[in-house]
């Protein structure tokens, strides 16, 4: 179908999603959120920690916490190659909340890249799990 594109979201451990979709929204490093739809121009970008959404043909949305990596778009295909990623439905919400609190506490005392990254991962997990942060 002309209104669908192929999408693959993979991490070193597994293929999280492989199939067709109508749209993908993800977040690039320093560039903010970006949406890809069928026929999108070729694109290559680095990803930051984010809540990626894959919109399926039946109207459902596959929520995925993506923790860095790259997105490539070409020939009506979106490929997300993530450093680490988790399906929203598989996220341990309590563990993500604890990680968020730990990162926030650490940032109260000192600002460092590791704590900011941990907070970004926790936010991505919670958003992908459907929790407002």
């Amino acid at each position: 179908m002309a209104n669908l594109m192929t999408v693959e979201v993979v991490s070193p451990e597994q293929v999280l999603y492989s199939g067709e979709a109508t749209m993908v929204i993800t977040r690039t490093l320093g560039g903010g959120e970006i949406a890809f739809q069928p026929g999108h121009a070729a694109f290559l970008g680095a990803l930051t920690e984010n809540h990626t959404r894959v919109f399926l043909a039946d109207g459902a949305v596959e929520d995925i916490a993506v923790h860095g990596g790259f997105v490539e778009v070409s020939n009506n295909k979106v490929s997300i190659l993530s450093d680490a990623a988790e399906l929203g439905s598989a996220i341990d919400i309590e563990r993500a909340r604890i990680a968020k609190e730990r990162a926030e506490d650490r940032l109260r005392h000192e600002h460092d890249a590791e704590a900011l990254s941990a907070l970004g991962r926790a936010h991505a997990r919670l958003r992908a799990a459907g929790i407002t942060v």
Side-chain angles (χ1 to χ4, degrees), residues 7 67 111:
V7 177
H67 310 298
H111 286 277

Side-chain angles (χ1 to χ4, degrees), residues 83-124:
D83 297 338
E86 307 163 83
L87 291 176
S89 59
I91 291 172
D92 181 333
I93 294 171
E94 189 56 33
R95 184 173 165 225
R97 283 188 173 138
I98 291 168
K100 176 182 175 281
E101 290 168 6
R102 194 174 323 130
E104 289 172 340
D105 186 54
R106 187 170 168 186
L107 286 168
R108 279 188 204 86
H109 299 95
E110 64 179 292
H111 286 277
D112 65 61
E114 187 177 317
L116 285 172
S117 182
L119 184 59
R121 287 191 305 274
H123 281 178

Side-chain angles (χ1 to χ4, degrees), residues 8-17 65 80-86:
E8 286 190 344
V9 180
V10 299
S11 73
E13 294 83 27
Q14 63 182 329
V15 174
L16 286 109
Y17 179 81
I80 294 179
L81 309 172
S82 177
D83 297 338
E86 307 163 83

Side-chain angles (χ1 to χ4, degrees), residues 11 20-21 28-30 36-37 44 46 56 64-65 69-70 75 80 84 86 100 115 128 130-132:
S11 73
E20 293 184 322
T28 58
L29 190 63
F36 303 106
Q37 293 182 308
L44 179 63
L56 310 180
I64 305 170
F70 296 91
N75 299 319
I80 294 179
E86 307 163 83
K100 176 182 175 281
I131 304 298
T132 304

